[in-house]
Structure formats: C-alpha cells, structure tokens
Amino acid sequence: MEEIEYKIYKYEFCPVDDPDRIIVGFLITDTTNNRSLNVEETIPLVDSAGKDEEEVCQMAYERVKDTIEALKQKLLSKRDSVIGKVFLPSN
C-alpha cells in the first residue's frame, strides 16, 4: 500500500473583497514519514457556477492530477532517503 493521503488544505474565494475565482489547495502526504508537498489550482467563479464545494474540488483536481501524480512519485522516491532522518553518530 502506498499510504499517500490527499487533503484539501485551502478553499478560498479570491480576492476577498470582490472574488472572481476560487483557489483550491491539495496537500499530498506520505503517511509513512509525514513528508508533504502541495499544489494549488485556481477555478474561475464562472466555471464553478451551480457547483458545490465537492464538485469544485473535483474540477480543480482534474486540472492538476498529472502534477499530483508527479508529486506523489516524488514523495515515494524519497522514502529511503536519509534526508529528515535522525542521525546518531557512532563514538
């Protein structure tokens, strides 16, 4: 099992005072070592008209799924890396 977790960490109307788009952010985490990468996608409000939050998130995902797959592969490739591991020097 890959143990990769996908979370939505951002769902914001932008700009706040007169929004014309929604920014959706995805956080991709390797739960075996808690390393994470993220990607954001902008959805124009006109494209999201009549859609609920889940549908807008799905639309954003479809637009960045290749990037998400590349980030996932990057996380998986770093599982065996010494980066981030506690180092205990021998005496």
Side-chain angles (χ1 to χ4, degrees):
M1 184 171 189
E2 290 181 346
E3 298 171 343
I4 299 292
E5 180 179 84
Y6 304 90
K7 282 187 182 177
I8 296 169
Y9 77 92
K10 182 186 278 190
Y11 189 94
E12 296 178 359
F13 289 88
C14 190
V16 176
D17 56 340
D18 187 22
D20 62 358
R21 61 194 177 276
I22 300 169
I23 301 172
V24 180
F26 299 95
L27 182 68
I28 300 96
T29 304
D30 182 344
T31 59
T32 66
N33 58 22
N34 289 322
R35 289 190 176 131
S36 298
L37 296 168
N38 63 27
V39 63
E40 295 180 0
E41 180 61 23
T42 302
I43 303 295
L45 278 183
V46 296
D47 293 351
S48 66
K51 294 181 173 40
D52 63 22
E53 289 178 342
E54 289 288 325
E55 291 169 316
V56 172
C57 290
Q58 184 63 41
M59 184 186 311
Y61 173 80
E62 291 298 326
R63 293 180 182 189
V64 295
K65 67 182 174 183
D66 291 341
T67 301
I68 287 174
E69 181 60 29
L71 292 174
K72 180 179 91 170
Q73 293 307 316
K74 186 175 183 178
L75 287 171
L76 291 173
S77 73
K78 293 185 183 269
R79 277 194 176 167
D80 295 327
S81 172
V82 297
I83 304 297
K85 291 185 179 178
V86 175
F87 175 72
L88 300 173
S90 57
N91 292 328

